[in-house]
């Protein structure tokens, strides 16, 4: 279940993430009647919009959607090889939360806070030059590596995404 509030508009429906055969992740947001708001494919180093509703087909909206979802999926928005290098070079210690920082292709950086076994990332933050731009909070059920709910909050514009009742199917 997803809802997006962007500059006075409210959209709600179902957001589906599906891993494709080529290891890309396809992200489709549809309403309860089956109308597609957007459809994005995320690859390791880039993303592609397969479709987007005309009223949302604006450069800033598309960049924000792709960045927000790319932050959650950890793909498609980083400088080349940065994510893989950082993930492999960080070592966690038992029962402690640690952070690592990744550079974006565009301006800014991301800071991921993770648990010791790297299964949960409760806080993801996007920083511009001197300030926090986006915060993502992920809430987990006990002993579950997939979040139960995710909240994305932009600090510079009125843009929020709420994902609730997340279900993982095989």
């Amino acid at each position: 279940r997803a809802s997006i509030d962007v500059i006075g508009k409210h959209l709600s429906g179902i957001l589906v993430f599906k891993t494709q055969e080529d290891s890309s992740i396809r992200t489709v947001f549809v309403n309860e009647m089956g109308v597609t708001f957007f459809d994005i494919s995320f690859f390791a180093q880039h993303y592609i919009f397969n479709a987007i509703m005309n009223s949302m087909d604006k450069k800033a909206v598309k960049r924000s959607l792709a960045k927000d979802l790319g932050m959650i999926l950890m793909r498609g928005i980083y400088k080349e090889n940065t994510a893989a290098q950082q993930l492999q070079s960080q070592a966690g210690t038992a029962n402690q939360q640690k952070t690592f920082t990744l550079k974006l292709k565009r301006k800014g950086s991301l800071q991921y806070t993770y648990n010791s076994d790297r299964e949960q990332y409760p806080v993801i933050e996007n920083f511009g030059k001197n300030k926090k731009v986006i915060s993502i909070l992920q809430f987990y059920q006990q002993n579950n590596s997939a979040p139960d709910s995710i909240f994305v909050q932009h600090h510079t514009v009125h843009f929020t995404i709420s994902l609730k009742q997340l279900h993982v199917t095989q």
Side-chain angles (χ1 to χ4, degrees):
R1 306 268 322 130
S3 65
I4 296 177
D5 291 299
V6 60
I7 311 171
K9 305 260 190 253
H10 177 78
L11 305 172
S12 65
I14 300 168
L15 183 63
V16 178
F17 298 96
K18 183 175 184 197
T19 303
Q20 303 295 307
E21 288 180 13
D22 64 357
S23 77
S24 67
I25 297 178
R26 188 121 181 221
T27 307
V28 181
F29 183 34
V30 297
N31 71 8
E32 289 81 357
M33 300 298 289
V35 175
T36 301
F37 294 120
F38 60 81
D39 177 351
I40 311 169
S41 293
F42 286 90
F43 300 88
Q45 299 297 324
H46 69 284
Y47 59 88
I48 297 171
F49 274 86
N50 302 308
I52 189 162
M53 189 176 238
N54 283 341
S55 61
M56 297 177 73
D57 194 4
K58 297 175 179 27
K59 194 176 200 177
V61 172
K62 289 169 71 172
R63 280 186 181 160
S64 292
L65 283 171
K67 183 163 81 169
D68 294 351
L69 295 171
M71 289 169 65
I72 294 167
L73 296 172
M74 299 180 81
R75 53 176 45 214
I77 60 172
Y78 308 106
K79 286 192 176 179
E80 200 164 325
N81 297 325
T82 306
Q85 291 169 358
Q86 281 284 345
L87 288 171
Q88 291 172 358
S89 69
Q90 296 289 327
T93 57
N95 299 322
Q96 269 189 339
Q97 286 194 335
K98 296 193 140 235
T99 63
F100 65 90
T101 302
L102 300 175
K103 296 283 186 193
L104 292 169
K105 283 182 183 178
R106 297 187 49 81
K107 297 181 252 181
S109 63
L110 301 176
Q111 183 176 346
Y112 286 84
T113 301
Y114 60 94
N115 68 355
S116 60
D117 55 6
R118 289 189 177 265
E119 289 187 359
Q120 298 179 350
Y121 295 84
V123 179
I124 305 168
E125 296 175 310
N126 172 218
F127 292 92
K129 284 186 179 179
N130 298 317
K131 61 184 174 182
K132 190 184 318 181
V133 180
I134 302 169
S135 296
I136 298 177
L137 302 176
Q138 300 188 103
F139 298 94
Y140 297 84
Q141 295 289 336
Q142 191 172 11
N143 299 323
N144 193 353
S145 62
D148 178 60
S149 56
I150 301 172
F151 299 96
V152 179
Q153 175 67 56
H154 286 247
H155 299 287
T156 56
V157 295
H158 181 70
F159 192 160
T160 60
I161 299 175
S162 297
L163 306 175
K164 299 176 184 174
Q165 300 174 340
L166 294 166
H167 298 283
V168 177
T169 59
Q170 300 295 341

Short mmCIF file of all heavy atoms in Angstrom, two decimals, residues 49-107:
data_model
loop_
_atom_site.label_atom_id
_atom_site.label_comp_id
_atom_site.label_asym_id
_atom_site.label_seq_id
_atom_site.Cartn_x
_atom_site.Cartn_y
_atom_site.Cartn_z
N PHE A 49 12.59 5.07 -17.08
CA PHE A 49 11.15 5.19 -16.94
C PHE A 49 10.51 4.47 -18.11
O PHE A 49 10.70 4.84 -19.26
CB PHE A 49 10.72 6.67 -16.93
CG PHE A 49 10.78 7.29 -15.58
CD1 PHE A 49 11.96 7.84 -15.11
CD2 PHE A 49 9.66 7.31 -14.76
CE1 PHE A 49 12.03 8.40 -13.85
CE2 PHE A 49 9.72 7.87 -13.50
CZ PHE A 49 10.90 8.42 -13.04
N ASN A 50 9.75 3.41 -17.82
CA ASN A 50 9.02 2.69 -18.86
C ASN A 50 7.71 3.41 -19.17
O ASN A 50 7.24 3.35 -20.31
CB ASN A 50 8.73 1.26 -18.41
CG ASN A 50 10.01 0.52 -18.09
OD1 ASN A 50 10.94 0.48 -18.89
ND2 ASN A 50 10.09 -0.04 -16.90
N ALA A 51 7.13 4.06 -18.16
CA ALA A 51 5.89 4.82 -18.34
C ALA A 51 5.72 5.76 -17.16
O ALA A 51 6.22 5.50 -16.06
CB ALA A 51 4.69 3.87 -18.40
N ILE A 52 5.03 6.87 -17.39
CA ILE A 52 4.67 7.80 -16.32
C ILE A 52 3.43 8.57 -16.75
O ILE A 52 3.29 8.91 -17.93
CB ILE A 52 5.83 8.75 -15.94
CG1 ILE A 52 5.49 9.52 -14.67
CG2 ILE A 52 6.20 9.65 -17.09
CD1 ILE A 52 6.68 10.15 -13.97
N MET A 53 2.54 8.81 -15.81
CA MET A 53 1.31 9.54 -16.08
C MET A 53 1.66 10.95 -16.56
O MET A 53 2.60 11.57 -16.06
CB MET A 53 0.51 9.60 -14.79
CG MET A 53 -0.87 10.12 -14.90
SD MET A 53 -1.66 9.97 -13.29
CE MET A 53 -3.03 8.97 -13.76
N ASN A 54 0.91 11.48 -17.53
CA ASN A 54 1.20 12.80 -18.11
C ASN A 54 1.34 13.89 -17.06
O ASN A 54 2.24 14.72 -17.15
CB ASN A 54 0.12 13.20 -19.12
CG ASN A 54 0.29 12.48 -20.43
OD1 ASN A 54 1.35 11.96 -20.73
ND2 ASN A 54 -0.78 12.44 -21.22
N SER A 55 0.46 13.91 -16.06
CA SER A 55 0.52 14.97 -15.05
C SER A 55 1.76 14.86 -14.16
O SER A 55 2.14 15.82 -13.50
CB SER A 55 -0.74 14.95 -14.18
OG SER A 55 -0.86 13.72 -13.52
N MET A 56 2.43 13.71 -14.14
CA MET A 56 3.65 13.53 -13.36
C MET A 56 4.91 13.63 -14.21
O MET A 56 6.02 13.59 -13.69
CB MET A 56 3.64 12.16 -12.65
CG MET A 56 2.52 12.00 -11.65
SD MET A 56 2.53 10.36 -10.93
CE MET A 56 3.96 10.46 -9.88
N ASP A 57 4.75 13.74 -15.52
CA ASP A 57 5.88 13.72 -16.45
C ASP A 57 6.60 15.07 -16.46
O ASP A 57 6.58 15.79 -17.45
CB ASP A 57 5.39 13.34 -17.84
CG ASP A 57 6.54 12.96 -18.77
OD1 ASP A 57 7.69 12.93 -18.31
OD2 ASP A 57 6.27 12.71 -19.96
N LYS A 58 7.21 15.38 -15.34
CA LYS A 58 7.99 16.60 -15.17
C LYS A 58 9.37 16.20 -14.67
O LYS A 58 9.51 15.28 -13.86
CB LYS A 58 7.30 17.54 -14.19
CG LYS A 58 5.94 18.00 -14.70
CD LYS A 58 5.22 18.83 -13.70
CE LYS A 58 3.87 19.33 -14.15
NZ LYS A 58 3.15 18.58 -15.12
N LYS A 59 10.39 16.87 -15.16
CA LYS A 59 11.77 16.52 -14.86
C LYS A 59 12.03 16.39 -13.36
O LYS A 59 12.60 15.40 -12.89
CB LYS A 59 12.70 17.57 -15.47
CG LYS A 59 14.13 17.21 -15.53
CD LYS A 59 14.89 18.33 -16.25
CE LYS A 59 16.20 17.85 -16.77
NZ LYS A 59 16.90 18.89 -17.52
N ALA A 60 11.60 17.37 -12.57
CA ALA A 60 11.86 17.37 -11.13
C ALA A 60 11.13 16.22 -10.43
O ALA A 60 11.69 15.58 -9.54
CB ALA A 60 11.44 18.70 -10.51
N VAL A 61 9.91 15.94 -10.83
CA VAL A 61 9.15 14.85 -10.22
C VAL A 61 9.80 13.51 -10.55
O VAL A 61 9.98 12.66 -9.67
CB VAL A 61 7.67 14.88 -10.69
CG1 VAL A 61 6.92 13.64 -10.22
CG2 VAL A 61 6.98 16.14 -10.20
N LYS A 62 10.19 13.33 -11.81
CA LYS A 62 10.82 12.08 -12.22
C LYS A 62 12.15 11.86 -11.49
O LYS A 62 12.44 10.75 -11.02
CB LYS A 62 11.03 12.06 -13.73
CG LYS A 62 9.72 11.91 -14.50
CD LYS A 62 9.85 12.17 -15.98
CE LYS A 62 10.59 11.08 -16.70
NZ LYS A 62 10.55 11.27 -18.17
N ARG A 63 12.95 12.90 -11.38
CA ARG A 63 14.23 12.77 -10.65
C ARG A 63 14.00 12.42 -9.19
O ARG A 63 14.70 11.59 -8.63
CB ARG A 63 15.03 14.07 -10.75
CG ARG A 63 15.75 14.23 -12.04
CD ARG A 63 16.63 15.46 -12.00
NE ARG A 63 17.30 15.62 -13.26
CZ ARG A 63 17.82 16.75 -13.68
NH1 ARG A 63 17.74 17.84 -12.93
NH2 ARG A 63 18.43 16.83 -14.84
N SER A 64 13.02 13.09 -8.58
CA SER A 64 12.74 12.83 -7.16
C SER A 64 12.24 11.41 -6.95
O SER A 64 12.69 10.72 -6.03
CB SER A 64 11.72 13.82 -6.62
OG SER A 64 12.28 15.11 -6.57
N LEU A 65 11.32 10.95 -7.77
CA LEU A 65 10.81 9.59 -7.65
C LEU A 65 11.93 8.57 -7.82
O LEU A 65 12.06 7.64 -7.02
CB LEU A 65 9.73 9.32 -8.71
CG LEU A 65 8.36 9.87 -8.46
CD1 LEU A 65 7.49 9.71 -9.70
CD2 LEU A 65 7.72 9.19 -7.26
N ALA A 66 12.74 8.75 -8.85
CA ALA A 66 13.83 7.82 -9.11
C ALA A 66 14.85 7.83 -7.97
O ALA A 66 15.33 6.77 -7.54
CB ALA A 66 14.51 8.15 -10.43
N LYS A 67 15.17 9.01 -7.45
CA LYS A 67 16.14 9.08 -6.36
C LYS A 67 15.58 8.43 -5.10
O LYS A 67 16.27 7.64 -4.46
CB LYS A 67 16.54 10.53 -6.08
CG LYS A 67 17.61 10.63 -4.99
CD LYS A 67 18.31 11.96 -4.97
CE LYS A 67 17.52 13.02 -4.27
NZ LYS A 67 18.28 14.25 -4.03
N ASP A 68 14.33 8.73 -4.75
CA ASP A 68 13.73 8.16 -3.56
C ASP A 68 13.70 6.64 -3.62
O ASP A 68 14.11 5.95 -2.68
CB ASP A 68 12.30 8.68 -3.36
CG ASP A 68 12.25 10.17 -3.06
OD1 ASP A 68 13.31 10.78 -2.82
OD2 ASP A 68 11.13 10.72 -3.07
N LEU A 69 13.22 6.10 -4.73
CA LEU A 69 13.13 4.65 -4.86
C LEU A 69 14.52 4.02 -5.01
O LEU A 69 14.77 2.95 -4.47
CB LEU A 69 12.22 4.28 -6.03
CG LEU A 69 10.76 4.70 -5.83
CD1 LEU A 69 9.96 4.50 -7.11
CD2 LEU A 69 10.12 3.97 -4.67
N GLY A 70 15.42 4.71 -5.70
CA GLY A 70 16.80 4.23 -5.81
C GLY A 70 17.51 4.17 -4.47
O GLY A 70 18.31 3.27 -4.21
N MET A 71 17.20 5.12 -3.58
CA MET A 71 17.77 5.10 -2.23
C MET A 71 17.30 3.86 -1.47
O MET A 71 18.08 3.21 -0.79
CB MET A 71 17.37 6.36 -1.45
CG MET A 71 18.04 7.63 -1.94
SD MET A 71 17.33 9.14 -1.24
CE MET A 71 17.70 8.99 0.50
N ILE A 72 16.03 3.53 -1.60
CA ILE A 72 15.48 2.36 -0.92
C ILE A 72 16.04 1.07 -1.51
O ILE A 72 16.44 0.17 -0.79
CB ILE A 72 13.93 2.36 -1.00
CG1 ILE A 72 13.37 3.56 -0.22
CG2 ILE A 72 13.35 1.05 -0.50
CD1 ILE A 72 11.91 3.85 -0.48
N LEU A 73 16.10 1.00 -2.84
CA LEU A 73 16.57 -0.21 -3.52
C LEU A 73 18.09 -0.33 -3.56
O LEU A 73 18.62 -1.38 -3.88
CB LEU A 73 16.03 -0.24 -4.95
CG LEU A 73 14.52 -0.34 -5.09
CD1 LEU A 73 14.09 -0.17 -6.54
CD2 LEU A 73 14.02 -1.67 -4.53
N MET A 74 18.78 0.78 -3.27
CA MET A 74 20.24 0.83 -3.29
C MET A 74 20.80 0.52 -4.68
O MET A 74 21.74 -0.25 -4.82
CB MET A 74 20.85 -0.09 -2.23
CG MET A 74 20.44 0.27 -0.83
SD MET A 74 21.14 -0.81 0.41
CE MET A 74 22.77 -0.09 0.55
N ARG A 75 20.22 1.16 -5.70
CA ARG A 75 20.72 0.95 -7.07
C ARG A 75 20.27 2.06 -8.00
O ARG A 75 19.31 2.74 -7.74
CB ARG A 75 20.30 -0.40 -7.61
CG ARG A 75 18.83 -0.68 -7.52
CD ARG A 75 18.36 -1.99 -8.14
NE ARG A 75 19.16 -3.11 -7.82
CZ ARG A 75 19.40 -4.13 -8.66
NH1 ARG A 75 18.85 -4.15 -9.84
NH2 ARG A 75 20.15 -5.13 -8.31
N GLY A 76 21.04 2.23 -9.07
CA GLY A 76 20.66 3.11 -10.17
C GLY A 76 20.98 4.58 -10.03
O GLY A 76 20.86 5.32 -10.99
N ILE A 77 21.39 5.06 -8.85
CA ILE A 77 21.56 6.50 -8.65
C ILE A 77 22.94 6.90 -8.17
O ILE A 77 23.21 8.07 -7.97
CB ILE A 77 20.50 7.03 -7.65
CG1 ILE A 77 20.64 6.35 -6.30
CG2 ILE A 77 19.10 6.88 -8.22
CD1 ILE A 77 19.76 6.94 -5.21
N TYR A 78 23.85 5.96 -8.01
CA TYR A 78 25.18 6.24 -7.46
C TYR A 78 26.22 6.45 -8.54
O TYR A 78 26.05 5.99 -9.66
CB TYR A 78 25.65 5.08 -6.57
CG TYR A 78 24.64 4.70 -5.54
CD1 TYR A 78 23.90 3.55 -5.66
CD2 TYR A 78 24.43 5.51 -4.44
CE1 TYR A 78 22.96 3.21 -4.72
CE2 TYR A 78 23.49 5.18 -3.48
CZ TYR A 78 22.76 4.02 -3.63
OH TYR A 78 21.83 3.70 -2.70
N LYS A 79 27.31 7.11 -8.14
CA LYS A 79 28.45 7.19 -9.05
C LYS A 79 28.93 5.77 -9.28
O LYS A 79 28.83 4.91 -8.40
CB LYS A 79 29.56 8.05 -8.44
CG LYS A 79 29.23 9.51 -8.47
CD LYS A 79 30.43 10.36 -8.14
CE LYS A 79 30.04 11.82 -8.30
NZ LYS A 79 31.12 12.71 -7.99
N GLU A 80 29.48 5.52 -10.45
CA GLU A 80 29.85 4.17 -10.85
C GLU A 80 30.71 3.45 -9.82
O GLU A 80 31.68 4.00 -9.32
CB GLU A 80 30.58 4.21 -12.19
CG GLU A 80 30.57 2.89 -12.89
CD GLU A 80 30.94 3.05 -14.35
OE1 GLU A 80 30.58 4.06 -14.96
OE2 GLU A 80 31.61 2.15 -14.85
N ASN A 81 30.33 2.24 -9.50
CA ASN A 81 31.02 1.32 -8.58
C ASN A 81 31.08 1.80 -7.12
O ASN A 81 31.60 1.10 -6.28
CB ASN A 81 32.44 1.01 -9.06
CG ASN A 81 32.43 0.31 -10.39
OD1 ASN A 81 31.54 -0.50 -10.67
ND2 ASN A 81 33.39 0.62 -11.23
N THR A 82 30.58 2.97 -6.81
CA THR A 82 30.68 3.48 -5.45
C THR A 82 29.93 2.59 -4.47
O THR A 82 30.45 2.23 -3.43
CB THR A 82 30.09 4.91 -5.35
OG1 THR A 82 30.75 5.71 -6.31
CG2 THR A 82 30.29 5.49 -3.98
N ALA A 83 28.72 2.19 -4.80
CA ALA A 83 27.89 1.40 -3.88
C ALA A 83 28.55 0.06 -3.60
O ALA A 83 28.68 -0.34 -2.44
CB ALA A 83 26.49 1.20 -4.46
N ALA A 84 28.97 -0.65 -4.64
CA ALA A 84 29.56 -1.97 -4.44
C ALA A 84 30.84 -1.87 -3.61
O ALA A 84 31.07 -2.68 -2.71
CB ALA A 84 29.85 -2.62 -5.79
N GLN A 85 31.68 -0.87 -3.89
CA GLN A 85 32.92 -0.72 -3.13
C GLN A 85 32.64 -0.43 -1.66
O GLN A 85 33.25 -1.01 -0.78
CB GLN A 85 33.77 0.40 -3.72
CG GLN A 85 34.34 0.07 -5.08
CD GLN A 85 34.94 1.29 -5.76
OE1 GLN A 85 34.90 2.40 -5.25
NE2 GLN A 85 35.50 1.08 -6.94
N GLN A 86 31.73 0.49 -1.39
CA GLN A 86 31.40 0.85 -0.01
C GLN A 86 30.81 -0.33 0.75
O GLN A 86 31.18 -0.59 1.87
CB GLN A 86 30.42 2.02 0.03
CG GLN A 86 31.05 3.35 -0.19
CD GLN A 86 31.81 3.83 1.02
OE1 GLN A 86 31.67 3.33 2.12
NE2 GLN A 86 32.66 4.80 0.81
N LEU A 87 29.89 -1.05 0.12
CA LEU A 87 29.24 -2.17 0.80
C LEU A 87 30.24 -3.25 1.16
O LEU A 87 30.15 -3.87 2.20
CB LEU A 87 28.12 -2.75 -0.07
CG LEU A 87 26.88 -1.88 -0.19
CD1 LEU A 87 25.94 -2.43 -1.24
CD2 LEU A 87 26.17 -1.78 1.15
N GLN A 88 31.22 -3.47 0.29
CA GLN A 88 32.20 -4.52 0.56
C GLN A 88 33.27 -4.07 1.56
O GLN A 88 33.83 -4.88 2.27
CB GLN A 88 32.87 -4.94 -0.75
CG GLN A 88 31.92 -5.69 -1.66
CD GLN A 88 32.51 -5.94 -3.02
OE1 GLN A 88 33.62 -5.53 -3.33
NE2 GLN A 88 31.75 -6.60 -3.87
N SER A 89 33.54 -2.78 1.64
CA SER A 89 34.65 -2.32 2.49
C SER A 89 34.25 -2.07 3.93
O SER A 89 35.10 -1.97 4.79
CB SER A 89 35.26 -1.04 1.91
OG SER A 89 34.35 0.02 2.04
N GLN A 90 32.96 -1.95 4.22
CA GLN A 90 32.52 -1.66 5.59
C GLN A 90 32.36 -2.96 6.37
O GLN A 90 31.77 -3.91 5.90
CB GLN A 90 31.18 -0.92 5.58
CG GLN A 90 31.24 0.42 4.93
CD GLN A 90 32.00 1.43 5.77
OE1 GLN A 90 31.97 1.39 6.98
NE2 GLN A 90 32.69 2.33 5.11
N ALA A 91 32.85 -2.99 7.58
CA ALA A 91 32.69 -4.15 8.45
C ALA A 91 31.92 -3.74 9.69
O ALA A 91 32.28 -2.79 10.36
CB ALA A 91 34.06 -4.71 8.84
N GLY A 92 30.85 -4.44 9.99
CA GLY A 92 30.03 -4.12 11.16
C GLY A 92 30.52 -4.87 12.39
O GLY A 92 31.17 -5.91 12.29
N THR A 93 30.22 -4.34 13.55
CA THR A 93 30.52 -5.03 14.80
C THR A 93 29.21 -5.39 15.46
O THR A 93 28.20 -4.74 15.27
CB THR A 93 31.36 -4.14 15.74
OG1 THR A 93 30.64 -2.94 15.98
CG2 THR A 93 32.70 -3.82 15.13
N ALA A 94 29.21 -6.44 16.23
CA ALA A 94 27.98 -6.99 16.80
C ALA A 94 27.20 -5.95 17.61
O ALA A 94 27.77 -5.16 18.35
CB ALA A 94 28.31 -8.18 17.68
N ASN A 95 25.89 -5.97 17.42
CA ASN A 95 24.93 -5.16 18.18
C ASN A 95 25.19 -3.65 18.12
O ASN A 95 24.91 -2.94 19.07
CB ASN A 95 24.85 -5.62 19.64
CG ASN A 95 24.38 -7.05 19.73
OD1 ASN A 95 23.51 -7.47 18.97
ND2 ASN A 95 24.97 -7.81 20.63
N GLN A 96 25.75 -3.16 17.06
CA GLN A 96 25.97 -1.73 16.91
C GLN A 96 25.41 -1.28 15.57
O GLN A 96 25.46 -2.00 14.60
CB GLN A 96 27.47 -1.40 16.90
CG GLN A 96 28.03 -1.10 18.24
CD GLN A 96 29.46 -0.58 18.08
OE1 GLN A 96 30.12 -0.80 17.08
NE2 GLN A 96 29.92 0.11 19.08
N GLN A 97 24.90 -0.05 15.56
CA GLN A 97 24.49 0.52 14.29
C GLN A 97 25.66 1.33 13.75
O GLN A 97 26.32 2.04 14.48
CB GLN A 97 23.26 1.40 14.47
CG GLN A 97 22.00 0.61 14.69
CD GLN A 97 20.77 1.46 14.52
OE1 GLN A 97 20.80 2.67 14.67
NE2 GLN A 97 19.67 0.82 14.18
N LYS A 98 25.91 1.18 12.46
CA LYS A 98 26.99 1.88 11.80
C LYS A 98 26.43 2.62 10.61
O LYS A 98 25.29 2.41 10.22
CB LYS A 98 28.07 0.90 11.34
CG LYS A 98 28.75 0.18 12.48
CD LYS A 98 30.00 -0.50 11.96
CE LYS A 98 31.07 -0.34 12.98
NZ LYS A 98 32.29 0.23 12.56
N THR A 99 27.25 3.47 10.02
CA THR A 99 26.83 4.20 8.83
C THR A 99 27.89 4.10 7.75
O THR A 99 29.06 3.84 8.03
CB THR A 99 26.59 5.70 9.14
OG1 THR A 99 27.81 6.28 9.56
CG2 THR A 99 25.53 5.89 10.19
N PHE A 100 27.47 4.29 6.52
CA PHE A 100 28.39 4.48 5.40
C PHE A 100 27.77 5.50 4.47
O PHE A 100 26.56 5.70 4.45
CB PHE A 100 28.75 3.17 4.69
CG PHE A 100 27.61 2.49 3.99
CD1 PHE A 100 27.31 2.77 2.67
CD2 PHE A 100 26.85 1.54 4.66
CE1 PHE A 100 26.26 2.13 2.03
CE2 PHE A 100 25.81 0.89 4.02
CZ PHE A 100 25.52 1.19 2.71
N THR A 101 28.62 6.17 3.69
CA THR A 101 28.18 7.25 2.82
C THR A 101 28.50 6.91 1.37
O THR A 101 29.58 6.38 1.07
CB THR A 101 28.88 8.56 3.21
OG1 THR A 101 28.59 8.84 4.58
CG2 THR A 101 28.42 9.72 2.36
N LEU A 102 27.56 7.20 0.48
CA LEU A 102 27.73 6.98 -0.95
C LEU A 102 27.51 8.29 -1.69
O LEU A 102 26.66 9.09 -1.30
CB LEU A 102 26.73 5.94 -1.47
CG LEU A 102 26.79 4.56 -0.83
CD1 LEU A 102 25.65 3.70 -1.36
CD2 LEU A 102 28.13 3.91 -1.10
N LYS A 103 28.24 8.51 -2.76
CA LYS A 103 28.08 9.70 -3.59
C LYS A 103 27.04 9.43 -4.67
O LYS A 103 27.01 8.36 -5.26
CB LYS A 103 29.40 10.08 -4.27
CG LYS A 103 30.49 10.48 -3.31
CD LYS A 103 30.24 11.87 -2.82
CE LYS A 103 31.41 12.32 -1.96
NZ LYS A 103 31.11 13.51 -1.22
N LEU A 104 26.20 10.42 -4.93
CA LEU A 104 25.19 10.32 -5.98
C LEU A 104 25.76 10.73 -7.32
O LEU A 104 26.72 11.51 -7.38
CB LEU A 104 24.00 11.23 -5.64
CG LEU A 104 23.16 10.81 -4.45
CD1 LEU A 104 22.21 11.93 -4.07
CD2 LEU A 104 22.41 9.54 -4.75
N LYS A 105 25.16 10.25 -8.40
CA LYS A 105 25.55 10.70 -9.74
C LYS A 105 25.33 12.20 -9.86
O LYS A 105 26.14 12.92 -10.40
CB LYS A 105 24.71 10.00 -10.81
CG LYS A 105 25.12 8.58 -11.08
CD LYS A 105 24.26 8.01 -12.18
CE LYS A 105 24.61 6.56 -12.41
NZ LYS A 105 23.77 5.96 -13.44
N ARG A 106 24.19 12.64 -9.38
CA ARG A 106 23.92 14.07 -9.34
C ARG A 106 24.49 14.60 -8.04
O ARG A 106 25.21 13.92 -7.34
CB ARG A 106 22.41 14.30 -9.45
CG ARG A 106 21.86 13.80 -10.80
CD ARG A 106 20.42 14.16 -11.01
NE ARG A 106 20.11 15.55 -10.76
CZ ARG A 106 20.32 16.56 -11.62
NH1 ARG A 106 20.89 16.32 -12.77
NH2 ARG A 106 19.99 17.78 -11.31
N LYS A 107 24.15 15.79 -7.65
CA LYS A 107 24.70 16.42 -6.46
C LYS A 107 24.30 15.68 -5.19
O LYS A 107 23.21 15.15 -5.08
CB LYS A 107 24.21 17.87 -6.35
CG LYS A 107 24.67 18.75 -7.48
CD LYS A 107 24.17 20.15 -7.27
CE LYS A 107 23.07 20.42 -8.27
NZ LYS A 107 22.52 21.73 -8.19
#
